[in-house]
Amino acid sequence: MKNYGYKPFILAVLLLLSVGLLSGCLFEGEQSLEKMDTPEEAVTTTPDPSSDEPQPEGEDENTEGEEGEGTEGTEGDASSATVAREVYLMDANGMVAPQTLELPASEEVATQALEYMVKDGPVTNLLPNGFEAVLPAGTEILGVNAKEDGTLVVDVSEEFKNYAAEDEEKILQAMTYTLTQFENVKRIKLWINGHEQQVMPVDGTPISKGVSRADGINHSVGNNTDIMNSEAVTVYFPAQNGEQVYQVPVTTRVAKGSDEYTAMVQALLEGPELGSALMNPFNEGAELVNSKLENGVLTVSFNENILTSVEEQPSLSDAALASLVMSLTDQADIESVEVHVDGTEHVFNEAGEPLAEPVTRQDINGAEAM
């Protein structure tokens, strides 16, 4: 009889070796799959540049990312830095007027300015006495998008619709004047929740072509104004609330055909409409002698009646100087104003400082240039 006892032993050994080799192959394969499933770097997407949807602020070359003041240094330094910004609010007389506020430093300057115009928003603790925000409470700024033609598309949430009809033009004016202070912004267009608006949602004011400063602010048209033979100009008159004196822009009308700068100064000298809450900062008999624009500086010369004091120290009131500078520098080609008075070598302000250099808008309102 043959002995086959060694065969089962050999078969068992071969079986164990085969299982070991197979397990090794499987283990090696699992490691390879694990490496393939782990991404080497994150993938980000960018908005479609051909889309008509307003893009988030900071992604447009014309408006956002231009202002970085106060953001250098440590994170703590950046979070506590503030920048003076001009924001248009509503005063106690229901007129829209600029106020300079200290806002946190931000690169998204247009969005931030709008956010600080919302009632019950971050502007609440910064509001000067007698002033209120103009945008309805709860309004969210969903996006802004600057176009190459100077149009700034503003997309807001549905809460924007919650305003009274009599406030519609004031809201438009405040938004327009706040946003058109930014370089390259000439007009604004309104979207609500991603949909372009042809008219304002409450009182139906047409806005399909956009709204610009040419549409005016705080309109004042006298009873005897000849609409057909006049044209609109915007000038600033002082108003007072308590101890605060501030400037209010008013769009009025002057005779057609006159030099634009001369017409604006003449409108200032004539003073605001009777019965308004605005003050006339100019003395009776004050007259413009001549004006000259050169390299962005408008030189205006007056007779002595514009001065508040002649004998001891020829001085110009701060309110009169502010009205002149705020009004004239609203024009795109005027950066500063230099005041001369015939027969007077030096003109001083109320503090006794000589007005030896041209005065800019920033000298008056203290806000950062945009």
Side-chain angles (χ1 to χ4, degrees):
M1 176 178 281
K2 295 181 180 179
N3 184 6
Y4 296 99
Y6 69 94
K7 290 185 177 179
F9 173 78
I10 294 174
L11 290 174
V13 172
L14 292 173
L15 180 60
L16 288 172
L17 291 172
S18 300
V19 171
L21 290 172
L22 180 59
S23 299
C25 292
L26 288 174
F27 182 70
E28 185 178 356
E30 287 176 0
Q31 286 182 317
S32 300
L33 287 173
E34 185 178 355
K35 288 182 179 180
M36 290 176 63
D37 289 341
T38 303
E40 295 183 1
E41 60 181 280
V43 178
T44 59
T45 59
T46 56
D48 180 4
S50 63
S51 172
D52 291 332
E53 294 289 332
Q55 303 300 333
E57 200 166 15
E59 295 178 3
D60 233 291
E61 59 180 353
N62 291 335
T63 304
E64 305 303 357
E66 295 178 357
E67 299 294 336
E69 297 93 346
T71 59
E72 296 181 359
T74 65
E75 183 177 350
D77 293 337
S79 62
S80 62
T82 61
V83 180
R85 299 291 188 209
E86 192 175 70
V87 177
Y88 281 72
L89 305 169
M90 194 185 309
D91 72 4
N93 302 307
M95 305 189 81
V96 178
Q99 289 290 287
T100 300
L101 306 178
E102 289 288 335
L103 307 185
S106 172
E107 292 185 356
E108 299 184 346
V109 290
T111 293
Q112 182 191 55
L114 290 169
E115 290 172 344
Y116 275 78
M117 296 170 65
V118 178
K119 294 180 180 180
D120 301 330
V123 72
T124 303
N125 295 329
L126 301 178
L127 288 172
N129 289 335
F131 281 84
E132 62 178 282
V134 295
L135 300 186
T139 299
E140 296 181 16
I141 312 305
L142 303 180
V144 297
N145 185 19
K147 303 293 186 180
E148 290 184 359
D149 66 352
T151 300
L152 185 69
V153 177
V154 179
D155 191 13
V156 296
S157 64
E158 292 283 345
E159 288 81 1
F160 176 83
K161 298 178 180 179
N162 301 325
Y163 61 84
E166 59 266 26
D167 291 335
E168 186 164 277
E169 288 193 2
K170 297 173 185 177
I171 290 171
L172 268 179
Q173 292 167 7
M175 294 177 66
T176 300
Y177 270 68
T178 296
L179 295 173
T180 52
Q181 70 181 301
F182 300 142
E183 188 178 2
N184 298 327
V185 178
K186 299 178 181 178
R187 70 190 65 82
I188 68 168
K189 280 193 173 184
L190 179 68
W191 289 26
I192 297 179
N193 201 24
H195 298 283
E196 184 176 358
Q197 305 297 298
Q198 302 299 315
V199 297
M200 286 289 282
V202 176
D203 204 34
T205 302
I207 54 174
S208 60
K209 296 181 180 179
V211 186
S212 71
R213 293 198 175 200
D215 293 294
I217 186 171
N218 297 319
H219 293 273
S220 174
V221 180
N223 295 328
N224 298 323
T225 301
D226 184 352
I227 301 296
M228 297 299 296
N229 295 311
S230 64
E231 55 189 359
V233 297
T234 298
V235 292
Y236 287 71
F237 290 110
Q240 186 166 2
N241 182 35
E243 295 184 357
Q244 182 193 15
V245 177
Y246 56 95
Q247 294 289 322
V248 178
V250 175
T251 299
T252 186
R253 302 192 72 84
V254 297
K256 284 184 178 179
S258 54
D259 172 76
E260 183 178 15
Y261 307 138
T262 301
M264 292 180 69
V265 174
Q266 187 58 40
L268 283 171
L269 295 177
E270 291 175 2
E273 187 176 355
L274 292 177
S276 75
L278 305 177
M279 302 181 294
N280 186 349
F282 299 96
N283 301 324
E284 186 176 354
E287 294 181 359
L288 176 69
V289 177
N290 59 62
S291 63
K292 179 182 180 181
L293 179 64
E294 187 174 357
N295 298 325
V297 179
L298 180 69
T299 301
V300 285
S301 298
F302 295 89
N303 64 2
E304 286 189 347
N305 289 335
I306 200 172
L307 300 174
T308 57
S309 173
V310 179
E311 296 180 359
E312 297 181 1
Q313 183 170 267
S315 58
L316 179 66
S317 74
D318 292 345
L321 179 63
S323 289
L324 283 168
V325 175
M326 294 285 282
S327 301
L328 295 168
T329 57
D330 251 5
Q331 307 303 303
D333 51 353
I334 300 178
E335 298 175 1
S336 59
V337 177
E338 186 169 314
V339 179
H340 291 175
V341 176
D342 278 4
T344 303
E345 185 176 357
H346 297 293
V347 178
F348 298 82
N349 62 17
E350 288 184 7
E353 301 165 336
L355 300 175
E357 299 293 333
V359 182
T360 68
R361 189 183 189 91
Q362 288 69 43
D363 294 329
I364 299 297
N365 64 14
E368 292 285 337
M370 303 305 291

